[in-house]
Every structure is written in C-alpha cells, then in structure tokens.
Amino acid sequence: MTIQHIDDHIPSFDTAAHEREWLAQENAMRRERLQLDPAGDDARSRRYRLLARALREPLPDALPADFARQMAARVAASPARRAASGTRFEFTLMLLLTIALAVAAVAVTAMYGDAWLPSFATVLPTPHAPATRWLLALAGCLGASWLLGQWQRHLHGPTT
C-alpha cells in the first residue's frame, strides 16, 4: 500500500522498473519521516529507510573544538622556520653562483678579450656624444632605483 498525496509530483521514467524503484524509495522515505512501524516493510524498503535515517542524522564531530586555532598556529609557525633556513641556503647558493660566474667572466675576458673587445668599442658612442650623457643618466636612474628597492626590502622585509 503506497501513501499518495495530491501534491506529489511523479517524474516520467524510461522504464517501469525505474518508476517502481523511485516509488519504493519515496515510499520508504515518507514512512521513515512519519515514523511508521517498519514491521510490514520488505527488505528493500528497510534499506531505504535506514539510508533516509542515516542521511537525516548530523555527522559526528571528529575534529577537536579548537582545531582551527591549532591549524592556524601550525601554519603560522611552519613557514617561518622553513623560510629562515631556506633563505639562508638559497642566499649561499646564489652567492656561490655569482662568484663562479664572475670568475668565469674574468677568465673568458682575459683569454679571448683581444678578439672581441675592439668590436664593442665601435658600438659604444664617443665620450663627448649627446647619447653618452643620456645613457649615463639612464644607468644612474636604474642603479638608484635598484639601490632604493634593496634598502626598502632591508628595512621592511620582503613582501610576498
């Protein structure tokens, strides 16, 4: 015996088997909601009622009450420790790489400089040309901007 209400909407189904299954689910959910006696239910209806009851129950609290505070403390502390040691290590590697590149540049210039340095002299403007003053002004502005950025980063720390 199914309990039908006037305002129930039954969707259309491709097969009669799908419609019967949907009706069984709805009937079991309705009987569970109304807390009717499950004695007359078949095995399928009892499973659907059990499922409806489980879905209606709130989830158990598995996390501690101060979980958010604990996680925030861990997240706040962890990068600070790793960043300090990681920054030192990266700085040391960068310094070693810079020294190696400088030594390589000096060695290459000493060995092969006679062959290619004169070609740079033809590209550069003469010392009294107007372009020289503009190039020096550009280099001065770029250098001052870089120094100011380094000074601000030293005072306030890196911004991420």
Side-chain angles (χ1 to χ4, degrees):
M1 174 175 148
T2 61
I3 302 172
Q4 291 286 333
H5 292 284
I6 297 172
D7 58 346
D8 281 352
H9 170 70
I10 299 175
S12 60
F13 293 96
D14 297 338
T15 63
H18 288 153
E19 183 176 356
R20 282 192 304 272
E21 190 67 23
W22 182 83
L23 286 171
Q25 292 171 10
E26 290 295 313
N27 187 28
M29 285 181 13
R30 188 175 297 112
R31 289 180 59 82
E32 181 62 30
R33 190 174 35 244
L34 296 173
Q35 297 178 349
L36 299 175
D37 185 25
D41 291 346
D42 60 347
R44 181 173 59 175
S45 294
R46 283 194 300 271
R47 284 194 308 266
Y48 286 142
R49 286 184 73 160
L50 181 64
L51 181 61
R53 194 175 315 127
L55 290 174
R56 197 173 54 238
E57 293 293 321
L59 293 175
D61 292 333
L63 299 175
D66 61 343
F67 175 75
R69 185 190 57 76
Q70 290 176 5
M71 286 307 293
R74 282 186 188 174
V75 169
S78 181
R81 280 183 278 162
R82 276 188 272 148
S85 65
T87 304
R88 247 182 277 129
F89 178 70
E90 290 172 3
F91 179 76
T92 304
L93 284 178
M94 186 177 64
L95 184 64
L96 289 173
L97 180 62
T98 303
I99 291 170
L101 288 175
V103 168
V106 168
V108 167
T109 303
M111 288 191 289
Y112 304 109
D114 294 339
W116 50 268
L117 279 179
S119 61
F120 279 108
T122 60
V123 174
L124 295 175
T126 59
H128 300 294
T132 305
R133 289 187 216 127
W134 286 110
L135 287 174
L136 287 175
L138 175 66
C141 287
L142 290 174
S145 296
W146 181 78
L147 285 174
L148 181 62
Q150 292 298 317
W151 179 60
Q152 286 178 342
R153 196 173 310 158
H154 177 71
L155 288 179
H156 304 293
T159 57
T160 55

